[in-house]
Amino acid sequence: MDELDRHLKHLAEIAKQHPPGSKGRIIATTRLLMAIEQSGKLYCQGRHDYPPEVYHDAMQAVRVYVFRLIDRYEPSAAKMMTLVNQKLNHEFKDAIKKLKKERPQHLSLSQAIDRGDKDSQQTLEDVLSGEEQENPYLSDRIFNIIKNDIDNAFKDKHIRNKPEANFQKIALHILEHRKMRELAQAWDIPEQTLYSFFRRSCESFRSLFGKYIKDN
């Protein structure tokens, strides 16, 4: 058992000494959770391939799991980090399924283009993120529309006080199948902020994309 395992075991034992639901149990378990999250040992496969809220939802489920785990945790059976990472990856997969199920509620190209062909079954966010590969021509058209930016609308749409963090750069970055975390690190902006800005921008540009696509 390494130092981290011993530390987590100790914190779990302290938490277990307090009755479930008591203030002492909550404080002790919160300390355990902080140690887990700050350990650098959390592993979630594909974490950066999806919006940050997917991982956040999975972690919230893990926190609830740890609170319920205290009374039945047996260090001799499994390491705390092993159990936590197993739960994290399971919940992450469930969060992905939830995201995909909810995706039809997002911005639809049918709303923007008012057409009934296969393109309209895609969401603008799908096309920009490269998740829909059945019609690459549509993706190419959108790439050129954003790159040319004839009205400077995409370049002018940026995060407050961060003109370099504009919709044009973010969208082209995504269309080139690159990771959002690269921009987050370069601009020192949380990924969640970039994703939220990107989605809001997709919504605000809905009619503009529709006009450009009809005209082309």
Side-chain angles (χ1 to χ4, degrees):
M1 183 177 292
D2 60 27
E3 184 176 348
L4 175 61
D5 293 326
R6 286 193 292 271
H7 182 51
L8 297 181
K9 176 186 175 183
H10 176 65
L11 292 176
E13 290 174 343
I14 292 176
K16 195 172 183 177
Q17 293 172 4
H18 299 277
S22 66
K23 183 177 179 180
R25 170 70 70 94
I26 293 173
I27 292 174
T29 307
T30 299
R31 288 174 179 167
L32 171 61
L33 283 168
M34 289 178 61
I36 290 171
E37 294 181 34
Q38 295 172 4
S39 69
K41 297 296 183 179
L42 283 170
Y43 174 73
C44 183
Q45 186 174 7
R47 170 184 175 181
H48 297 294
D49 294 332
Y50 294 89
E53 60 263 31
V54 177
Y55 179 77
H56 294 162
D57 286 349
M59 274 304 303
Q60 184 58 35
V62 167
R63 295 182 184 106
V64 173
Y65 167 75
V66 171
F67 267 90
R68 295 174 177 173
L69 177 66
I70 295 301
D71 286 317
R72 53 189 175 84
Y73 174 58
E74 293 294 340
S76 60
K79 295 180 179 179
M80 176 64 74
M81 286 307 306
T82 299
L83 295 175
V84 168
N85 280 324
Q86 287 176 347
K87 182 65 174 178
L88 175 59
N89 281 273
H90 174 76
E91 293 295 338
F92 186 73
K93 291 177 181 178
D94 282 349
I96 292 172
K97 292 178 182 177
K98 179 181 177 182
L99 175 71
K100 291 181 177 179
K101 184 177 180 180
E102 294 176 347
R103 188 170 290 279
Q105 299 173 4
H106 293 178
L107 172 62
S108 170
L109 279 180
S110 62
Q111 295 173 294
I113 309 172
D114 192 26
R115 58 196 291 182
D117 59 13
K118 184 167 60 177
D119 293 352
S120 68
Q121 302 306 311
Q122 298 173 300
T123 66
L124 179 56
E125 192 176 334
D126 283 335
V127 177
L128 291 178
S129 64
E131 291 180 11
E132 298 290 345
Q133 302 296 331
E134 294 182 359
N135 195 332
Y137 176 58
L138 178 60
S139 182
D140 288 342
R141 278 193 290 168
I142 290 180
F143 183 93
N144 289 327
I145 287 170
I146 295 173
K147 184 177 181 180
N148 293 332
D149 195 15
I150 58 176
D151 297 317
N152 289 322
F154 306 131
K155 187 181 298 181
D156 289 342
K157 184 80 169 180
H158 61 79
I159 293 176
R160 183 181 300 179
N161 299 324
K162 290 276 189 176
E164 71 277 13
N166 60 65
F167 179 76
Q168 183 189 52
K169 287 185 179 179
I170 295 172
L172 293 179
H173 188 87
I174 292 174
L175 280 166
E176 291 170 349
H177 308 292
R178 298 167 65 185
K179 304 299 183 184
M180 190 74 86
R181 68 175 177 271
E182 296 174 356
L183 292 179
Q185 293 171 353
W187 294 333
D188 192 25
I189 299 174
E191 283 185 67
Q192 176 62 51
T193 300
L194 292 179
Y195 273 113
S196 297
F197 169 76
F198 171 68
R199 289 199 180 89
R200 291 195 305 272
S201 298
C202 282
E203 176 67 28
S204 66
F205 287 135
R206 177 173 58 187
S207 59
L208 186 60
F209 272 109
K211 175 181 179 297
Y212 284 160
I213 291 173
K214 280 184 176 180
D215 292 344
N216 291 277

